[in-house]
Amino acid sequence: MKSFISLVIFILGIFFIQGCSKTPEIVQKEDLHVDVIYLDKRMLPPNAKVTVILEDISKQDVKSEIIAKQSLMVKNAPPYTFIITFDTNSIDYKHTYSLSANITVDGKYIYRSDEILNPFSEIREKYTIVLKRVAMTKSLVNRPWTLVSLNEEDISLETSAKKPFIMFDSDGKGVKGFTGCNNMFGSYTKDGYNIKIGPLASTRKACMANMDIESKFQKAIGATTKWKLSGDNMYFIDADGKTLAKFTSI
């Protein structure tokens, strides 16, 4: 008899526990289709990363809650297309949400959105996020400078060709770059706007194209005695004050 009563109590306990258990939520996924663009014509370096974030920004003085996030490495010109998948159970339609984007190079912001785009206040087939360039502190170092012209003549490259560039390390010693066919690396010394680049070493590839540009670029580097900044541009200048090369930075 006692065993029977114990069994009844055990079964009733199971039903009680099951009745009190919360039914698990069914995950329901939905997608947001997003295009990310910027309006100027600057070329991004191959290590540029585009990121789109869906976040809850309702709570003031508290870090926003990220609902979904997706990144891709830049391989072509904009628009950059994303499909952002999120769980509808994580959305409270009384809250305020923001769909934002940014582009970074080596972890530093170079473009970002500055407007709140709430995808749940206005339903669209596709959302377009327009990025604005982040103001950068003027500095020679830690920025890839892309070659634009040599001896005041614009350089002409094949569409798919990697662009020549130069980059100075912040330690005041190291310099590296790409001259059109080969990678280069070496040292430099700088005193204010006076600069001496070298000695330099480089790889020894032979290329079908851009060898003339490489030769002129290397010659300009060797003759440079001064540098100057103007907006997003940087210039190499020789001892006679002649502009040898013009660069731009993304």
Side-chain angles (χ1 to χ4, degrees), residues 169-183:
D169 293 341
S170 59
D171 61 7
K173 297 179 180 179
V175 62
K176 60 187 175 183
F178 174 72
T179 51
C181 175
N182 288 281
N183 295 316

Side-chain angles (χ1 to χ4, degrees), residues 139-140 145-152 154 166 168 193-195 197 217 220 224-238 241-249:
S139 173
L140 176 70
W145 293 101
T146 302
L147 184 66
V148 174
S149 66
L150 288 166
N151 300 315
E152 301 187 15
D154 291 346
I166 193 166
F168 299 91
Y193 289 97
N194 297 312
I195 191 168
I197 305 171
F217 189 14
T224 296
T225 60
K226 293 183 181 294
W227 65 279
K228 74 172 184 179
L229 289 178
S230 178
D232 291 327
N233 296 321
M234 189 267 290
Y235 300 85
F236 282 173
I237 302 167
D238 68 10
K242 180 184 176 182
T243 298
L244 301 176
K246 175 184 176 182
F247 304 82
T248 188
S249 181

